[in-house]
Amino acid sequence: MRTRPLLALVTVVLVIICGGVYALTRPLPSSGSERRPASAEEVAGAYLTAWEGGDLAAMERLAGGAPADFIERHRAFAEELGVESLTVTPGAIRLRGDRAAELPFEGVREIEELGEWPFSSTLKLAREDGEWKVAWAPETLHPALAGGGRLRTREIPAPRARLVTSSGARFPRDSGAEDYLAELREGLLGEAAGEGEEDGEAAGEDGEDAGLVLEAVEPGGGVRRLLGSGPPPAEDVRTTFSRRVQAAAARALDGVGRPAAIVAVGSGTGEVLAVADRLGGRKAFLGLYPPGSTFKVVTAAALLSAGLTPDSPVSCPDSYSPPGGYPFRNASSVTALGETTLTRAFAVSCNTAFAERAVTGLQDGGLVRAAELFGFNRPLPGVPGRCGSIRAHTTGDELAADSFGQNSVEASPLCMALAAAAVESGHWHSPTMTRRRGEEEDRPLPPGVAEGLRTMMRAVVTEGSASGVPLPEGTAGKTGTAEAATGEHAWFVGYRDGVAFAVFVENGGSGAGTALPVAARFLRAL
């Protein structure tokens, strides 16, 4: 029976020995800060928490096979896209055997100037040496980075203002007004820049009206918009141009073999209704040419202001010489009328009658004063253009030649259209291409002058130099043939139903033979 105590003793010894071995071999407990998550879900959760908090060093420790520039990549990504904050919401872990796992998650980045950018991605994990690690790849940041894709923010400039006609319609193709609209558009942008000077931006350029977008650039070069939108469309800016009148002017010049232009304005407003310019360099507004006998509109206004009437008797001889001066003759197409009326001399464009009357009745500067009433020798507010010029005469010869638009007289097609408009309305208006009114001028013609000029300009069409080409009922006008160093310029100016116009053909020959048919096509198309 001694064996029982012996067995008990052996058992006690074995327990002591096993306990000692366990005490020597069991792992030491670690502090909470050094403890590594053991499961895939815990590793993924720790990575996402560090990502939200911007702890890039902790993320790098949890990532297996992280590139050497791991931290720099994340910083550059955030800086280039303007990431201000990140929130992530994990989904359910999915184990792929005992060595791989996936954690889908939803993220929201706050992007500077663009707001919230939601995205979906998947965190992949792999087991390495018994520990779970995040299997990091560029697409972990965003799926669009897979395979060499990239992300970018891009500013989309606001569209430039689009100019349209007064009705809101677009301009006809090949209108001849393109250079004028480009100049007007630049002027409007300049005004907008001045109004927004505090921001230092001009409308239609990069600035607060521009759009900002976030885009994914695919490896093959394709681009997808992920966030943001373009700027709002630019509002159409209405001009004073009439689409109907502009189209008529442009088509009237089709087939004209010489450089030419048509300018049309509203008689009662000075608003530019059309400019079809085949001269180049915006010469319909800026070019100055001798106006020839169309300037007799101004000379007739001066004579009417000096006391003559449309029925006043005048002489239309073959030749007239101012006292001590040279002889002036009529154009070869004009037959001497002898004694006639001012209206008849105007209608057939008798140079000698106007030269004589100017020399005998306008020596006090009356011709220059009348011209200045019609915009000559003055700046033109409202449009980038010039009207015309005339110098004070020093001899009778100079005054005689000025009286029928030669010598010192020069005018732009715009200027002569405005002169015709003043006759119809009784007021000279400075031109404008927009509805904004400001510095525009309105100068009434002297009493009786406009009415007398209307009578005389109607006679040109019904019985004078413009009677050879049928014109629509109600048309009044004046032909002109101007001598220049390069040849003879052809003119016809006139008005009908509130539309005043000037037709000019450079080196086109006679006004009745070249400019008048163009005017007829223009008027018939209205």
Side-chain angles (χ1 to χ4, degrees):
M1 301 302 289
R2 288 182 175 178
T3 58
R4 288 184 178 178
L6 180 60
L7 288 173
L9 179 61
V10 169
T11 300
V12 171
V13 170
L14 288 174
V15 169
I16 292 172
I17 293 172
C18 290
V21 170
Y22 172 76
L24 292 172
T25 60
R26 70 181 179 89
L28 294 173
S30 60
S31 66
S33 60
E34 296 176 353
R35 179 180 178 275
R36 284 189 172 273
S39 70
E41 186 171 14
E42 288 174 328
V43 170
Y47 185 91
L48 295 180
T49 299
W51 197 3
E52 271 191 331
D55 189 348
L56 300 178
M59 293 167 62
E60 186 177 30
R61 288 194 299 271
L62 293 167
D69 61 348
F70 179 91
I71 292 177
E72 288 74 13
R73 283 197 194 192
H74 283 73
R75 285 176 177 164
F77 180 92
E79 290 174 2
E80 290 173 6
L81 300 186
V83 179
E84 296 180 329
S85 65
L86 169 69
T87 58
V88 290
T89 304
I93 193 76
R94 296 193 294 261
L95 295 175
R96 307 296 186 189
D98 60 355
R99 300 189 64 83
E102 292 179 350
L103 181 72
F105 66 92
E106 301 292 326
V108 178
R109 290 182 172 99
E110 185 74 23
I111 305 297
E112 183 181 3
E113 297 186 32
L114 284 173
E116 291 186 350
W117 173 30
F119 69 100
S120 301
S121 191
T122 300
L123 204 64
K124 295 183 178 182
L125 298 100
R127 198 165 189 171
E128 301 176 3
D129 299 328
E131 287 190 303
W132 287 100
K133 293 281 189 178
V134 172
W136 188 89
E139 54 264 37
T140 306
L141 278 167
H142 191 277
L145 299 179
R150 60 190 178 89
L151 297 170
R152 70 182 183 191
T153 57
R154 184 168 64 90
E155 198 168 67
I156 301 177
R160 298 172 70 84
R162 188 182 73 163
L163 302 182
V164 295
T165 59
S166 57
S167 64
R170 301 187 71 173
F171 280 79
R173 291 181 179 273
D174 192 27
S175 69
E178 291 82 2
D179 290 345
Y180 297 84
L181 298 176
E183 178 75 12
L184 178 59
R185 185 183 294 110
E186 290 303 316
L188 292 173
L189 291 179
E191 290 178 16
E195 293 169 3
E197 206 169 55
E198 186 175 343
D199 297 323
E201 304 289 354
E205 300 176 355
D206 294 348
E208 61 180 17
D209 292 331
L212 185 67
V213 295
L214 175 65
E215 296 174 329
V217 182
E218 298 170 348
V223 177
R224 291 184 296 114
R225 182 173 295 182
L226 303 177
L227 185 64
S229 61
E235 293 184 6
D236 290 344
V237 177
R238 296 198 181 200
T239 64
T240 60
F241 286 74
S242 162
R243 192 182 196 285
R244 175 177 59 90
V245 180
Q246 182 64 49
R251 300 293 70 83
L253 293 183
D254 291 344
V256 177
R258 296 281 185 178
I262 297 177
V263 177
V265 299
S267 294
T269 62
E271 293 179 347
V272 175
L273 303 178
V275 51
D277 189 343
R278 302 285 187 257
L279 299 168
R282 294 189 287 120
K283 290 180 181 175
F285 279 19
L286 295 171
L288 296 181
Y289 307 89
S293 289
T294 60
F295 189 72
K296 287 173 183 168
V297 172
V298 177
T299 306
L303 294 174
L304 293 173
S305 296
L308 271 64
T309 70
D311 296 326
S312 292
V314 299
S315 177
C316 179
D318 282 328
S319 174
Y320 166 73
S321 298
Y326 297 97
F328 288 87
R329 300 184 183 279
N330 294 313
S332 59
S333 59
V334 177
T335 301
L337 301 177
E339 293 298 318
T340 185
T341 64
L342 183 62
T343 295
R344 182 65 179 157
F346 184 88
V348 301
S349 204
C350 180
N351 290 345
T352 57
F354 277 80
E356 180 181 14
R357 280 294 182 172
V359 171
T360 58
L362 300 177
Q363 288 282 359
D364 63 347
L367 185 58
V368 172
R369 290 195 299 273
E372 291 177 346
L373 181 63
F374 282 90
F376 285 73
N377 296 344
R378 294 171 177 265
L380 275 183
V383 300
R386 298 186 291 178
C387 187
S389 62
I390 180 175
R391 293 193 302 268
H393 70 279
T394 58
T395 67
D397 286 348
E398 290 179 350
L399 180 56
D402 283 341
S403 72
F404 51 88
Q406 298 288 168
N407 188 43
S408 73
V409 183
E410 292 182 315
S412 65
L414 170 63
C415 188
M416 297 314 297
L418 294 170
V423 174
E424 185 176 21
S425 69
H427 289 250
W428 185 89
H429 296 278
S430 59
T432 179
M433 291 191 286
T434 67
R435 297 301 177 114
R436 299 179 183 179
R437 311 299 296 185
E439 300 178 358
E440 291 82 1
E441 296 181 22
D442 175 352
R443 295 196 292 272
L445 301 189
V449 169
E451 183 179 352
L453 290 173
R454 292 184 203 118
T455 298
M456 298 165 72
M457 291 179 73
R458 282 194 296 267
V460 172
V461 173
T462 58
E463 58 186 84
S465 59
S467 60
V469 175
L471 297 172
E473 184 70 26
T475 302
K478 183 69 187 78
T479 57
T481 304
E483 294 181 3
T486 56
E488 289 184 328
H489 301 322
W491 290 85
F492 185 73
V493 304
Y495 61 84
R496 179 177 182 269
D497 292 342
V499 177
F501 60 90
V503 176
F504 172 75
V505 183
E506 188 174 7
N507 297 324
S510 74
T514 304
L516 180 59
V518 175
R521 289 199 298 272
F522 166 66
L523 292 170
R524 285 196 293 266
L526 293 179

